[in-house]
Each structure stands twice: as structure tokens, then as C-alpha cells.
Coordinates of all heavy atoms in Angstrom, one line a residue:
G26 N 18.5 8.7 18.1 CA 19.6 7.8 17.9 C 19.4 6.7 16.9 O 18.3 6.5 16.4
G27 N 20.4 5.9 16.6 CA 20.2 4.9 15.7 C 21.5 4.4 15.0 O 22.6 4.8 15.5
L28 N 21.4 3.7 13.9 CA 22.5 3.2 13.1 C 22.6 3.9 11.8 O 21.6 4.1 11.2 CB 22.3 1.7 12.9 CG 23.3 1.0 11.9 CD1 24.7 1.1 12.5 CD2 22.9 -0.5 11.7
V29 N 23.8 4.4 11.6 CA 24.0 5.2 10.4 C 25.3 4.9 9.8 O 26.3 4.5 10.5 CB 23.9 6.7 10.6 CG1 25.0 7.3 11.6 CG2 23.8 7.5 9.3
Q30 N 25.6 5.0 8.5 CA 26.8 4.7 7.8 C 27.7 5.9 8.0 O 27.3 7.1 8.3 CB 26.7 4.5 6.3 CG 26.0 3.1 6.1 CD 26.1 2.7 4.6 OE1 26.0 3.6 3.7 NE2 26.1 1.5 4.3
S31 N 29.0 5.7 8.0 CA 30.0 6.7 8.1 C 29.7 7.8 7.0 O 29.4 7.5 5.8 CB 31.4 6.2 7.8 OG 32.4 7.1 7.9
G32 N 29.8 9.1 7.5 CA 29.4 10.2 6.6 C 28.0 10.7 6.6 O 27.6 11.7 6.1
G33 N 27.1 9.9 7.3 CA 25.7 10.2 7.4 C 25.4 11.1 8.5 O 26.4 11.7 9.1
S34 N 24.2 11.4 8.7 CA 23.7 12.3 9.7 C 22.6 11.8 10.6 O 21.9 10.9 10.2 CB 23.1 13.6 8.9 OG 24.1 14.2 8.1
L35 N 22.6 12.3 11.8 CA 21.4 12.0 12.8 C 21.1 13.3 13.5 O 22.0 14.2 13.7 CB 21.9 11.0 13.7 CG 21.9 9.5 13.3 CD1 22.5 8.6 14.3 CD2 20.5 9.0 12.9
R36 N 19.9 13.3 14.0 CA 19.5 14.5 14.8 C 19.0 14.0 16.2 O 17.9 13.2 16.1 CB 18.4 15.4 14.2 CG 18.2 16.6 14.9 CD 17.0 17.4 14.2 NE 16.9 18.7 14.7 CZ 15.7 19.3 15.0 NH1 14.6 18.6 14.7 NH2 15.6 20.5 15.4
L37 N 19.5 14.3 17.2 CA 19.1 13.9 18.5 C 18.2 15.1 19.2 O 18.5 16.3 18.9 CB 20.2 13.7 19.5 CG 21.3 12.7 19.0 CD1 22.3 12.5 20.1 CD2 20.6 11.4 18.7
S38 N 17.2 14.6 19.8 CA 16.4 15.6 20.6 C 16.2 15.2 22.0 O 16.3 14.0 22.3 CB 14.9 15.6 20.0 OG 14.9 16.0 18.6
C39 N 16.1 16.2 22.8 CA 15.9 16.0 24.3 C 14.8 16.9 24.8 O 15.1 18.2 24.8 CB 17.2 16.2 25.0 SG 17.0 16.0 26.8
A40 N 13.7 16.4 25.2 CA 12.6 17.2 25.7 C 12.4 16.9 27.2 O 12.6 15.8 27.7 CB 11.3 16.8 25.0
T41 N 12.3 18.0 27.9 CA 12.1 18.0 29.4 C 10.6 17.9 29.7 O 9.8 18.6 29.0 CB 12.7 19.1 30.0 OG1 12.1 20.3 29.6 CG2 14.2 19.2 29.7
S42 N 10.2 17.2 30.7 CA 8.9 17.1 31.2 C 9.0 17.5 32.7 O 10.1 17.0 33.3 CB 8.2 15.8 31.0 OG 9.0 14.8 31.6
G43 N 8.1 18.1 33.3 CA 8.1 18.5 34.7 C 8.6 19.9 34.7 O 9.0 20.5 33.7
S44 N 8.8 20.4 35.9 CA 9.2 21.8 36.1 C 10.6 21.9 36.5 O 11.0 21.3 37.5 CB 8.3 22.5 37.1 OG 8.6 23.8 37.3
I45 N 11.4 22.6 35.7 CA 12.8 22.9 36.0 C 12.9 24.4 36.2 O 12.8 25.1 35.2 CB 13.7 22.3 35.0 CG1 13.6 20.9 34.7 CG2 15.2 22.6 35.3 CD1 14.5 20.3 33.7
F46 N 13.2 24.8 37.3 CA 13.4 26.3 37.6 C 14.8 26.7 37.3 O 15.7 26.1 37.6 CB 13.0 26.6 39.0 CG 13.3 28.0 39.4 CD1 12.3 28.9 39.0 CD2 14.4 28.4 40.2 CE1 12.5 30.3 39.3 CE2 14.5 29.7 40.5 CZ 13.6 30.7 40.1
S47 N 14.9 27.7 36.5 CA 16.1 28.4 36.3 C 17.2 27.4 35.6 O 18.2 27.2 36.3 CB 16.7 29.0 37.5 OG 17.9 29.8 37.3
I48 N 16.9 27.0 34.4 CA 17.9 26.2 33.7 C 19.1 27.0 33.4 O 19.0 28.1 32.8 CB 17.3 25.6 32.5 CG1 16.3 24.5 32.9 CG2 18.4 24.9 31.7 CD1 15.6 23.9 31.7
Y49 N 20.4 26.7 33.6 CA 21.5 27.4 33.3 C 22.0 26.8 31.9 O 22.3 27.7 31.0 CB 22.7 27.2 34.3 CG 23.9 27.7 33.9 CD1 24.1 29.1 33.8 CD2 25.0 26.9 33.6 CE1 25.2 29.6 33.2 CE2 26.2 27.4 33.1 CZ 26.3 28.7 32.9 OH 27.5 29.3 32.5
A50 N 22.2 25.6 31.7 CA 22.6 25.0 30.5 C 22.0 23.7 30.2 O 21.6 22.9 31.0 CB 24.2 24.9 30.6
M51 N 22.0 23.4 28.9 CA 21.5 22.1 28.3 C 22.6 21.6 27.4 O 23.2 22.4 26.7 CB 20.1 22.3 27.6 CG 19.1 22.8 28.5 SD 17.5 22.9 27.6 CE 16.9 21.2 27.7
G52 N 22.8 20.3 27.3 CA 23.8 19.8 26.5 C 23.8 18.3 26.3 O 22.8 17.7 26.7
W53 N 24.8 17.8 25.6 CA 24.9 16.4 25.3 C 26.3 15.9 25.7 O 27.3 16.6 25.4 CB 24.7 16.2 23.8 CG 23.3 16.5 23.3 CD1 22.9 17.7 22.9 CD2 22.2 15.6 23.3 NE1 21.5 17.7 22.6 CE2 21.1 16.4 22.8 CE3 22.1 14.2 23.7 CZ2 19.8 15.7 22.7 CZ3 20.8 13.7 23.5 CH2 19.7 14.4 23.0
Y54 N 26.2 14.8 26.4 CA 27.5 14.0 26.6 C 27.5 12.7 25.9 O 26.4 12.3 25.5 CB 27.7 13.8 28.2 CG 28.0 15.0 29.0 CD1 27.1 16.1 29.1 CD2 29.3 15.1 29.6 CE1 27.5 17.2 29.9 CE2 29.6 16.2 30.4 CZ 28.6 17.3 30.5 OH 29.0 18.3 31.2
R55 N 28.5 12.0 25.8 CA 28.6 10.8 25.2 C 29.6 9.8 26.0 O 30.5 10.3 26.5 CB 28.9 10.7 23.7 CG 30.3 11.1 23.4 CD 30.5 11.3 21.9 NE 31.8 11.6 21.5 CZ 32.2 11.9 20.3 NH1 31.3 11.9 19.3 NH2 33.4 12.3 20.0
Q56 N 29.3 8.5 25.9 CA 30.2 7.6 26.6 C 30.3 6.3 25.7 O 29.4 5.6 25.4 CB 29.6 7.1 27.9 CG 30.6 6.2 28.7 CD 30.2 6.1 30.1 OE1 29.1 6.5 30.5 NE2 31.1 5.7 31.0
A57 N 31.5 6.2 25.1 CA 31.8 5.1 24.3 C 32.2 3.8 25.2 O 32.6 4.0 26.3 CB 32.9 5.3 23.3
L58 N 32.1 2.7 24.6 CA 32.4 1.4 25.4 C 33.9 1.5 26.0 O 34.8 1.7 25.2 CB 32.1 0.3 24.5 CG 32.0 -1.1 25.3 CD1 30.9 -1.1 26.2 CD2 31.9 -2.2 24.3
G59 N 33.9 1.3 27.3 CA 35.2 1.3 27.9 C 35.9 2.7 28.1 O 37.0 2.7 28.5
K60 N 35.1 3.7 27.9 CA 35.7 5.1 28.0 C 34.9 5.9 29.0 O 33.7 5.6 29.2 CB 35.7 5.8 26.6 CG 36.7 5.1 25.6 CD 36.9 6.0 24.4 CE 37.9 5.3 23.5 NZ 38.1 6.1 22.2
Q61 N 35.4 7.0 29.4 CA 34.7 7.9 30.3 C 33.7 8.8 29.5 O 33.9 9.0 28.3 CB 35.7 8.8 31.0 CG 36.6 8.1 32.0 CD 37.4 9.1 32.8 OE1 37.7 10.2 32.3 NE2 37.7 8.7 34.1
R62 N 32.7 9.2 30.2 CA 31.7 10.1 29.6 C 32.4 11.5 29.4 O 33.1 12.0 30.2 CB 30.5 10.3 30.6 CG 29.3 11.0 30.0 CD 28.1 10.9 30.9 NE 27.6 9.6 31.1 CZ 26.5 9.3 31.8 NH1 25.7 10.3 32.2 NH2 26.1 8.1 32.0
E63 N 32.1 12.0 28.2 CA 32.6 13.2 27.9 C 31.6 14.2 27.3 O 30.6 13.8 26.7 CB 33.8 13.0 26.7 CG 33.2 12.5 25.4 CD 34.3 12.4 24.3 OE1 35.5 12.7 24.6 OE2 33.9 11.9 23.2
L64 N 31.9 15.5 27.4 CA 31.1 16.5 26.9 C 31.2 16.6 25.4 O 32.2 16.5 24.9 CB 31.4 17.9 27.5 CG 30.7 19.0 26.9 CD1 29.2 19.0 27.3 CD2 31.3 20.4 27.3
V65 N 30.1 16.6 24.7 CA 30.0 16.8 23.3 C 29.7 18.2 22.9 O 30.5 18.9 22.1 CB 28.9 15.9 22.6 CG1 28.8 16.2 21.1 CG2 29.2 14.4 23.0
A66 N 28.7 18.8 23.5 CA 28.2 20.2 23.2 C 27.3 20.6 24.3 O 26.6 19.8 24.9 CB 27.6 20.2 21.8
A67 N 27.3 21.9 24.5 CA 26.4 22.5 25.5 C 26.1 23.9 25.1 O 26.8 24.6 24.4 CB 27.1 22.5 26.9
V68 N 24.8 24.4 25.6 CA 24.4 25.8 25.3 C 23.8 26.3 26.6 O 23.1 25.6 27.2 CB 23.5 25.8 24.1 CG1 22.2 24.9 24.3 CG2 23.0 27.1 23.9
T69 N 24.2 27.5 27.0 CA 23.7 28.1 28.2 C 22.3 28.9 27.9 O 22.1 29.1 26.7 CB 24.7 29.1 28.8 OG1 24.8 30.3 27.9 CG2 26.0 28.5 28.9

């Protein structure tokens, strides 16, 4: 994450540690100030 100007790009990473058996899906949600958390993208 970070600060970027409009039109720019960022790449988020999420690494898991520990043992997770049988992952069904991984994804990203976001929550803007004063708003509900929403799904951004997911992959099964």
C-alpha cells in the first residue's frame, strides 16, 4: 500500500503464514472512510 497520484499503479501482496487446510478462495476487500467493507476481487 501507499500514496500514489491519480492514474498511477500499486501492487498489493498478501502472504500467508501457518497452515491453512483446503483454501477455497483468496481475495481483497476494501473499506473507505465512513463506508462498508466491499469486495474488490477474489480468486478461487
Side-chain angles (χ1 to χ4, degrees):
L28 173 64
V29 65
Q30 289 187 333
S31 181
S34 298
L35 285 173
R36 187 186 192 222
L37 305 182
S38 299
C39 174
T41 63
S42 63
S44 179
I45 303 177
F46 177 74
S47 188
I48 292 176
Y49 171 69
M51 302 180 76
W53 294 91
Y54 285 70
R55 68 186 180 187
Q56 187 166 18
L58 197 62
K60 295 187 178 181
Q61 289 187 330
R62 190 173 297 190
E63 62 175 359
L64 173 68
V65 176
V68 55
T69 69

